[in-house]
Amino acid sequence: MVEGIQVVSRSWVRVDITLEQALELGLSPGAYVVEGPLRDLNDEFVELPDISTVRVSAR
């Protein structure tokens, strides 16, 4: 087996909201997540690199 990395561009983001941020936003204490496509002010998708480890057979 050979291990390497794979880099893919994605526009999907996930941001976990801390307890402090939730309280500052006026939310009840708890766990919150903001998730969805990332766009700029021109409504264009912003591409971010997503890196993952892959394993493949080497012959």
Side-chain angles (χ1 to χ4, degrees):
M1 297 295 277
V2 176
E3 193 170 290
I5 61 169
Q6 178 182 32
V7 180
V8 179
S9 291
R10 299 191 193 277
S11 295
W12 195 264
V13 294
R14 174 191 165 113
V15 178
D16 295 321
I17 303 298
T18 66
L19 176 59
E20 293 167 343
Q21 291 168 327
L23 295 175
E24 286 180 26
L25 291 168
L27 300 170
S28 300
Y32 296 92
V33 173
V34 176
E35 191 172 53
L38 178 61
R39 297 178 188 208
D40 63 18
L41 292 176
N42 295 317
D43 207 29
E44 299 289 330
F45 288 106
V46 176
E47 297 287 327
L48 298 172
D50 184 19
I51 300 171
S52 60
T53 303
V54 293
R55 280 190 188 179
V56 294
S57 297
R59 293 186 178 195

